[in-house]
Amino acid sequence: MQVAIYGGSFNPPHIGHAMVAAWLRWTGRADEVWWVPAFDHAFDKPLAPFDLRMDACRCVADSLGPWAKVCGIERELEAPSYTIHTLDQLQRRHPQHRLRWVMGADALPTVHLWREWERIERDYAPIVVGRAGHPEVPGSPTFPAISSTLIRQLLREGAAIDHLVDARLLTLLKAHSAAFLSGAA
């Protein structure tokens, strides 16, 4: 089975994330998509509590179907969360699967800062997805420029976000907006 490892802060997840996951599955690029929230971001990004982000990812994954799963492996790994360590540990635990890393085109300019990027490329054949406002990615549609930063900004302003997040997630975000906003730029 081919598994797309979809890592990120998911602070919070939004319909852009869901669109990418659905595209991966519907186009046959993955049999399953595993959402892997960062436990402790390698670039020191402030994040809402891990369990809350896990619940937020479950809201979205559950609406997509049984092929979308949420994996909390990074809680068990040494901090900070380096992608290569997460991928290696997942591969050790699931040797029967072919794992592929998923990332947005917006992250490409920073890969020189990633730990062992060359090995990620070699061993986990990244699937790079296009994102509006960034260079086009051959073989990928360009997904809308929706971001967690935008969702938090709209939450901060008291503006509507129901058009940008899963309905079940909207309830969670309203109940825990302070946790997503505190410490998160």
Side-chain angles (χ1 to χ4, degrees):
M1 175 168 36
Q2 184 150 277
V3 178
I5 304 300
Y6 195 7
S9 300
F10 301 116
N11 194 43
H14 49 71
I15 63 167
H17 293 124
M19 292 168 73
V20 168
W23 174 76
L24 292 164
R25 170 74 169 134
W26 295 343
T27 61
R29 283 167 173 77
D31 300 303
E32 291 186 353
V33 177
W34 295 357
W35 297 55
V36 182
F39 183 74
D40 182 29
H41 201 282
F43 297 134
D44 291 325
K45 285 171 75 173
L47 302 171
F50 183 72
D51 288 334
L52 188 55
R53 290 181 294 112
M54 286 283 293
D55 289 346
C57 286
R58 281 188 200 98
C59 286
V60 181
D62 288 351
S63 72
L64 291 171
W67 52 266
K69 304 189 183 319
V70 179
C71 174
I73 190 169
E74 290 209 354
R75 176 194 317 269
E76 305 166 29
L77 303 178
E78 185 179 325
S81 301
Y82 293 112
T83 301
I84 190 63
H85 296 160
T86 302
L87 291 168
D88 286 347
Q89 189 59 237
L90 284 169
Q91 190 65 77
R92 276 192 283 282
R93 293 180 186 192
H94 304 282
Q96 73 278 21
H97 299 328
R98 169 145 166 57
L99 305 182
R100 296 199 58 197
W101 176 245
V102 179
M103 61 186 289
D106 55 311
L108 286 176
T110 66
V111 296
H112 68 282
L113 301 172
W114 292 31
R115 183 159 294 194
E116 297 188 58
W117 172 251
E118 297 78 18
R119 205 158 68 71
I120 293 171
E121 280 187 303
R122 184 190 72 218
D123 295 348
Y124 301 105
I127 301 169
V128 180
V129 296
R131 188 166 183 186
H134 298 275
E136 190 173 315
V137 176
S140 171
T142 298
F143 290 93
I146 301 166
S147 68
S148 297
T149 302
L150 172 63
I151 303 298
R152 291 191 309 272
Q153 176 187 337
L154 293 172
L155 273 173
R156 201 173 281 112
E157 295 169 358
I161 59 168
D162 60 326
H163 60 297
L164 299 173
V165 299
D166 181 275
R168 287 177 271 194
L169 178 57
L170 182 62
T171 303
L172 183 138
L173 287 174
K174 285 182 177 178
H176 300 281
S177 63
F180 281 97
L181 296 177
S182 66

